[in-house]
Structures are given as C-alpha cells and as structure tokens.
Amino acid sequence: MKAVITVTGKDNVGIVAKVATECSSMGANIIDISQSVLREYFAMIVLVDIDGLSCAFGDFVDKMSALGDANGLRIATMHEDIFNSMHRI
Amino acid sequence: MLNINDILETINMIREENLDIRTITMGISLIDCAGDDINAVCDRVYDKITTKAARLVSVGDDIEKQYGIPIVNRRVAVTPISILGGRFSSEDYIKLAKTLDRAADTLGINFIGGYGALVQKGCTVGDEQLIESIPYALAETERVCSSINVASTKAGINMDAIRKMGDIIVKTAALTADRDSIGCAKFVVFANVPEDNPFMAGAFHGVSEPECVVSVGVSGPGAVASAISRVGDCDLTAIAETVKKTAFKITRVGQLVAFEAAKRLGVPFGIVDLSLAPTPAIGDSVAHILENMGLETCGCPGTTAALALLNDAVKKGGVMASSHVGGLSGAFIPVSEDAGMIHAARIGALTLEKLEAMTAVCSVGLDMIAIPGDTPAATICGIIADEISIGVANTKTTAVRVIPAVGKKVGDEVVFGGLLGSAPIMPVNTYSPAKFIARGGRIPAPIHSLKN
C-alpha cells in the first residue's frame, strides 16, 4: 500500500531532509518525490510505501502533521486510494 | 502512477472547497426488540443499538485519518419506532425516545433517527400514540429525530394525518420556545420517503432493510461552485458537464468511505446518497452554485431552471461512481443551513412560494424554513399539503421541515447554531385553508400510480 504526503509552506533549509528522516524513522519507504519552489512558496509531493510502517497509519499521519506544525509547514498524509478512487475509473 | 495535478485537485477540494463526507449512518433493525413490556423493550433497544454501533465513531475517525477527508457526522437510523409498540401509550413512546437519546449519548453521535411512523394510508393505534408523543419526545431529548410519511404516489395523501401534523408542529414549537423552537428542526413530514436515507432529520431504517447496514451521504457544494467558477464563460451544456464530472469525483470518495466503513464494521454496505448538502459555512452553499451559474441572487427568475440542471447533473455524474445509489440523492435547499439561501431570504429575493417551486426539481422539500410563531396550525397543514402533493404527483420524495418560531415575526431571526444554522423569519400567505384542511380524508392516488 502507498500513501501520498503533501508538504506546503514557506521555503526554508532542510525541509526535504526533515520529511525524509521522519519517513525513514517510521519505516515509510520513499518511492517518488516531486518538488517545486515558486517564489518563496515550497510544495512537495512524496509517494511512500507504507507496508513496512513501524506504527499504525493513523500515528504516522499525526507525526507527519506534527512535523509540519513544528516547522511552519502544512503536511498532509493520505492513503493513495482516495486519489485512485477520484481520478481513475 | 498518480498524477500530481490530480493529487493537488483532491487536496484543494478538501482544504479550500469544504469537500467532506457529510455522514456515515448505520441503519439498525429494532424489529426483534418489539414486545409488550415497555421497560424490557427499552432495555433491548438500548443494548442492541449500543452493541451494533459500538465502533461506529472510532471507525469513522480511523477512516477520516486514513484518507485525509473530514467525515462530519456519524449517525444511527433505526426501524420506525411506531412498529415496535403497537400497544404502547404516548408516555411509553416517550420512554423509548429517551432510550434512543441515551444510546446516542453513549455512542457519542449527534443524531439518531427513526422516531416516526409510516401512515400514508392510515394510522394504527400505535402510530396515533406515537404521533401524539412527538412534541414531548422532541422537547425532552437532544439527539432524537422524528419523521412521519403522510403520503405516497401509490397510496395517495392521508389528509387526516396532515391535519394532525400542523398541531404537532405548533406544539413542538411551543415546548421548545426557549430555544427558538428548535424541536421543529428535528421533525420532518414526508411524501414518498426513502427507507435508506442517511441524512437527518429524516433518516430511518426501513422495514425492508436488512438487520444492519452502513450508508454514506456525500457533500461538496463548495467543490461544485468552484468548478463552475473555473470554467468561466461557457454555455449551460458545459456547466452541466462540469457538474457531472465534479459530482463523479465527490461520489467516488463517498463510495470509497462507505465500502471501507462497511468492511471495518463487518456489516453490508447499503447505499451512497448523492446529495449536495450545504452547511452555513462560507463556500459550502447550494445557492452560491446557482449564483455562479449566473443568477444575481438565488430566488430570482431562472432559479428553478438552474436548480433542475444542477440536480440532474449531480445525479448523472454520481450514479456511475457508486455501486448502489439511494436515499434522497439530489441537491438540498435547507434555508437555515445554507449561507446563500439565508442571504437570499433576508433580502427578500427568496420566498416560500419560490422554494416550493424549486422543490419540484430537486431533493427534498421545504427545509429548515422559519415562519412567524403565530402562523395558524391549519396554514402549516396547507403548506404541508401543497408540498406533499408535489411529491405525490411527480413520483418523488418531498418533505416539510418548518419552524414556527414562538414569539418571532417577519424580520426577526432564529439561531440554532452548528449545522442547523440560523434563518430569517419568512412571510407566509395569511389567507386561510382551514376549511379545506378540516375536511380530512384521503386524497386518492394519482392515475399514474396505476402502472401494472
């Protein structure tokens, strides 16, 4: 199973590293990253494999969200099925 | 592989356009709880509801977190309560209402529906006792919702029952006068009521339903309104296409959540209700969709046509997205729960008569409309009879949920708070239908009910 992490907010040093570190500490394997900076605005979408998570998915969602709060970012983690459902027939 | 634009679109719909799942509703049959002894029946009802729905709230929370989509309400709908106690008195039924309230409190849900009866052709002794108890049951409970079906295209219109409804609504308003007559916000009078509707106040678990089911009501007026804004200057065919595509996406989320909830709760999936349900929040209004189509304000000439287009496109888009569609499925137009409707009513652009016309082309009916507290019961009966006739003649569901707010007159406002919102008191035609209503009897079923 996969999940999509979206990170948005004001750009600053080390965002990618912080997100990647948090993912690895909980056993989420990063499969793909897409990232862009428009003026000062940072946006990143990370696709992770969550089969090897060391915690419940809900806890992973909370921890990523807390990481965002601590760094002035908005981090949302959602199971990929919501995107597949909406955009695939 | 997921497309970045698709991901951003979904996130934008949830964050900026108020896309949410309005309700996960568990339907529970209480037929096996029936009996002679009211206390034993109450115990069985409480135990069954709190056992079957024990995990409803936590499963809703888990799904919300997994998919990152808000699930606003978790609710329970039960078998029409009149069926449980054919021999009970009104006092006994009130005990049952309090039991439902207690069960809802234990579960941590905000509403429980099913305190009602199906009397389209006539009332049993139990039905009559339950109807008499409704004002007290609604005044003495917080979470219990009540609905009465007074007509169907097959059975015609039970005018004796409608005659009672006026008195019930006036009495309910009086008993909850200290809270802007909020009891009336929990009571709906239906024609052609669906037995699998997940939305309150009209939800109940029909007698042809299985032991237990989970159904989902979707929402998303904000997402539809934004999609229409984005397409800009285009003709109405293009508007209809845009609404269809958006409704498809919204409903797919509903289907996903319904399927997942049914799996986790270990009960069958019932239906997805394709309704566009507004809230008083900014950007979550059905009226604003119509205004984005080009109306100066909701209620002006053209409103019924715009709403018909919207309602049809929502259904066409949604129906392919779900394996089972049911409930009310259409655009809701509850005045107090829709910021655009509230505004239109305040400035006088939206009248009771226009709302009545609008209900001929959408789901459901005259909903959450505050009227003067001194409106006579017979006039309320007339409003109900008109609305119910639209449903019966057009083979569709219609309903009336009006609030004759005690002590309030045109120009005043009622404030219910939360999802129930606030509303200006709307003027009502003051000429009387009293003699017509007093006749009672049944209006025969229309000729097109004879389809065999």
Side-chain angles (χ1 to χ4, degrees):
Chain A
M1 288 194 297
K2 300 186 190 78
V4 175
I5 303 169
T6 54
V7 185
T8 50
K10 203 170 174 225
D11 191 24
N12 60 58
V13 176
I15 296 178
V16 178
K18 282 173 188 154
V19 171
T21 306
E22 196 76 353
C23 285
S24 77
S25 74
M26 284 180 281
N29 184 28
I30 294 176
I31 300 168
D32 198 3
I33 296 183
S34 164
Q35 181 242 293
S36 63
V37 179
L38 187 62
R39 295 197 186 120
E40 293 181 340
Y41 197 69
F42 176 89
M44 176 168 74
I45 295 173
V46 185
L47 186 67
V48 291
D49 189 317
I50 52 172
D51 286 335
L53 270 190
S54 58
C55 59
F57 184 70
D59 295 337
F60 180 56
V61 172
D62 287 341
K63 283 197 176 155
M64 295 309 293
S65 177
L67 175 73
D69 293 342
N71 290 281
L73 300 162
R74 205 160 170 189
I75 303 185
T77 310
M78 296 150 81
H79 195 284
E80 65 165 345
D81 280 355
I82 189 166
F83 305 105
N84 290 331
S85 289
M86 277 180 100
H87 303 286
R88 300 276 180 282
I89 295 176
Chain B
M1 184 56 203
L2 292 166
N3 177 310
I4 288 176
N5 289 332
D6 291 345
I7 292 172
L8 292 176
E9 183 187 358
T10 300
I11 288 171
N12 193 47
M13 283 167 91
I14 295 170
R15 276 192 193 163
E16 310 299 332
E17 298 166 0
N18 294 314
L19 173 63
D20 56 42
I21 299 295
R22 186 50 46 84
T23 179
I24 296 181
T25 303
M26 178 180 270
I28 302 171
S29 170
L30 296 182
I31 289 175
D32 60 347
C33 300
D36 279 347
D37 176 12
I38 180 63
N39 293 321
V41 170
C42 286
D43 288 345
R44 285 200 288 270
V45 164
Y46 179 83
D47 290 343
K48 184 160 188 186
I49 294 170
T50 51
T51 306
K52 286 277 182 194
R55 295 191 301 118
L56 179 64
V57 169
S58 64
V59 163
D61 293 348
D62 289 346
I63 294 174
E64 190 173 52
K65 196 162 267 181
Q66 173 149 348
Y67 297 116
I69 179 140
I71 300 171
V72 181
N73 299 299
R74 300 103 173 95
R75 290 166 172 173
V76 168
V78 297
T79 307
I81 291 295
S82 74
I83 293 169
L84 297 194
R87 300 182 186 188
F88 291 161
S89 65
S90 284
E91 289 73 26
D92 290 339
Y93 277 116
I94 294 168
K95 277 189 186 171
L96 263 169
K98 288 181 177 171
T99 303
L100 294 176
D101 205 36
R102 196 159 53 87
D105 186 37
T106 303
L107 293 173
I109 58 175
N110 60 354
F111 285 124
I112 184 164
Y115 192 78
L118 308 173
V119 300
Q120 55 267 38
K121 214 159 183 181
C123 292
T124 64
V125 175
D127 291 337
E128 283 182 1
Q129 292 294 318
L130 180 127
I131 289 171
E132 293 304 322
S133 77
I134 287 172
Y136 305 97
L138 293 178
E140 292 173 30
T141 61
E142 289 292 323
R143 301 169 183 81
V144 175
C145 290
S146 176
S147 60
I148 302 288
N149 191 62
V150 295
S152 72
T153 302
K154 266 291 187 203
I157 304 174
N158 181 349
M159 289 298 290
D160 290 325
I162 287 183
R163 190 169 53 183
K164 285 186 183 148
M165 293 303 112
D167 291 331
I168 295 296
I169 290 171
V170 167
K171 192 179 266 184
T172 305
L175 290 176
T176 52
D178 57 332
R179 287 168 284 159
D180 276 349
S181 302
I182 196 171
C184 298
K186 298 181 285 178
F187 177 61
V188 200
V189 183
F190 272 107
N192 291 322
V193 70
E195 301 206 348
D196 52 6
N197 159 31
F199 285 102
M200 296 296 170
F204 68 93
H205 186 72
V207 288
S208 57
E209 294 283 308
E211 188 66 15
C212 189
V213 291
V214 167
S215 295
V216 158
V218 299
S219 183
V224 174
S226 298
I228 291 174
S229 292
R230 277 196 298 273
V231 294
D233 275 338
C234 62
D235 70 4
L236 292 172
T237 306
I239 295 271
E241 284 301 309
T242 303
V243 174
K244 266 161 64 178
K245 286 176 188 160
T246 312
F248 175 84
K249 290 172 185 171
I250 292 170
T251 310
R252 288 284 279 188
V253 180
Q255 171 78 15
L256 174 70
V257 168
F259 188 77
E260 193 66 29
K263 192 169 81 179
R264 292 186 188 200
L265 290 163
V267 298
F269 155 58
I271 54 98
V272 173
D273 189 314
L274 306 181
S275 294
L276 281 184
T279 70
I282 299 299
D284 207 16
S285 156
V286 168
H288 288 158
I289 299 177
L290 307 179
E291 289 166 8
N292 281 5
M293 285 188 202
L295 302 179
E296 184 180 358
T297 182
C298 179
C300 72
T303 300
T304 310
L307 183 59
L309 182 161
L310 172 69
N311 198 57
D312 183 64
V314 164
K315 285 190 273 194
K316 284 174 178 165
V319 77
M320 190 179 151
S322 173
S323 49
H324 293 287
V325 171
L328 298 165
S329 285
F332 292 169
I333 51 170
V335 175
S336 78
E337 299 173 5
D338 185 311
M341 297 277 174
I342 294 168
H343 173 72
R346 266 186 200 143
I347 61 173
L350 185 62
T351 62
L352 201 56
E353 286 71 20
K354 188 64 183 175
L355 281 161
E356 184 183 310
M358 290 160 72
T359 64
V361 299
C362 81
S363 147
V364 174
L366 295 172
D367 198 13
M368 291 303 287
I369 296 168
I371 56 176
D374 60 359
T375 308
T379 301
I380 295 173
C381 294
I383 292 171
I384 294 171
D386 285 346
E387 183 59 33
I388 293 310
S389 300
I390 289 172
V392 168
N394 293 296
T395 324
K396 75 181 287 290
T397 305
T398 50
V400 176
R401 182 163 51 152
V402 291
I403 301 107
V406 172
K408 302 276 170 118
K409 55 187 190 309
V410 175
D412 293 343
E413 299 250 340
V414 288
V415 180
F416 301 121
L419 284 178
L420 296 174
S422 61
I425 307 290
M426 295 177 76
V428 172
N429 188 318
T430 52
Y431 294 96
S432 175
K435 202 169 166 187
F436 174 74
I437 297 298
R439 288 177 189 272
R442 283 162 52 202
I443 296 180
I447 186 69
H448 55 262
S449 70
L450 303 173
K451 284 187 173 166
N452 290 344

